[in-house]
Amino acid sequence: MWRRDIRCVLFDLDGTLIDSAADLGLSADEMRTARGLPSLPVQAYRASAGSGARGMLRVAFGLSPEDHGFAELREEFFANYERRMTRLTRTFTGVEFLLLALRERGMLWGVVTNKSRRFTEPLTASMPLFGAAATIVSGDTTPHAKPHPAPLVEAMRQAAVSPAHCIYVGDDERDIQAGKAAGVATVAARYGYLGVGTDVERWRADAAIDEPLQLLNLLNPA
């Protein structure tokens, strides 16, 4: 385990702090049924939820960003998601206790997500616990999104903390890549939106957790 005086914990959002798979999946599934296609179960979308519109449209229609018509369908998906993104989204079990425990230990916490501000701001505003975040950095806050380190660097600037005193927790390989590039210790969230056959060990994170509260065991004693 790392030997660091951890003062700030930064988290990815979807798949790490919040379970948004149902709202993301149903936003895409509404597009299927509107075109006369049979509905898919929410579980069919879950593993791809971390990829946002790209993942949802791949499951719903077998499309990739290079395909004709993808951009138009992505905008339709965004409109659907903007309308329903707070209906079924909840924090993962243990997240609220975890964030409270961090505050009781005198630690800062914040969010670094690739979700654009268009969605991040109203979504986090709808959930009171995010009012205690030291920083919330969206995918378009800086000119680059993860795996580029810029969003993490900006979050640390806002929280006034150095990489030596910070860790980043995420459920995607891009999170770990961004954390390493920013010089922070990294934790892989194995409970998140892992794609089929994902080998988390290959990410070479500094640690991994199977549920949010396990993070407390990795941090400095209270």
Side-chain angles (χ1 to χ4, degrees):
M1 198 56 224
W2 58 78
R3 295 183 178 180
R4 299 188 179 205
D5 174 19
I6 303 302
R7 302 174 189 173
C8 180
V9 182
L10 298 174
F11 298 90
D12 177 44
L13 186 60
D14 300 76
T16 302
L17 289 180
I18 63 171
D19 186 355
S20 53
D23 282 325
L24 286 164
L26 289 172
S27 297
D29 208 60
E30 288 174 5
M31 297 169 65
R32 280 181 58 88
T33 56
R35 290 164 172 79
L37 297 172
S39 177
L40 296 175
V42 171
Q43 195 61 28
Y45 294 96
R46 186 171 187 82
S48 299
S51 299
R54 178 167 47 88
M56 297 300 92
L57 294 178
R58 182 177 63 245
V59 174
F61 300 107
L63 292 176
S64 65
E66 299 77 27
D67 291 329
H68 176 72
F70 180 88
E72 291 79 8
L73 288 175
R74 180 180 59 194
E75 288 306 313
E76 182 180 341
F77 170 80
F78 285 157
N80 283 358
Y81 181 61
E82 194 167 30
R83 186 176 64 252
R84 66 157 303 128
M85 63 181 167
T86 62
R87 293 185 190 175
L88 299 175
T89 294
R90 302 289 185 271
T91 56
F92 283 101
T93 300
V95 162
E96 294 195 34
F97 184 87
L98 167 62
L99 299 181
L100 178 61
L102 294 180
R103 293 182 64 189
E104 289 177 344
R105 294 184 181 200
M107 294 183 181
L108 300 174
W109 67 271
V111 172
V112 180
T113 175
N114 273 359
K115 211 181 194 82
S116 69
R117 263 181 299 193
R118 172 182 175 184
F119 309 113
T120 303
E121 291 182 353
L123 180 56
T124 56
S126 75
M127 306 176 79
L129 81 164
F130 287 102
T135 176
I136 298 178
V137 173
S138 301
D140 51 358
T141 300
T142 69
H144 305 282
K146 300 174 295 183
H148 197 282
L152 280 165
V153 172
E154 173 61 16
M156 288 186 283
R157 186 193 68 78
Q158 292 183 13
V161 64
S162 70
H165 302 300
C166 185
I167 64 174
Y168 186 47
V169 186
D171 69 312
D172 190 280
E173 186 174 13
R174 293 170 297 175
D175 298 325
I176 306 307
Q177 292 170 339
K180 288 180 178 296
V184 305
T186 56
V187 179
R190 287 192 292 229
Y191 57 86
Y193 302 142
L194 306 183
V196 177
T198 298
D199 181 7
V200 174
E201 297 302 316
R202 188 175 61 83
W203 301 354
R204 301 182 67 83
D206 294 297
I209 55 176
D210 294 308
E211 60 175 340
L213 288 176
Q214 286 184 356
L215 183 65
L216 294 176
N217 299 329
L218 302 179
L219 298 173
N220 299 333

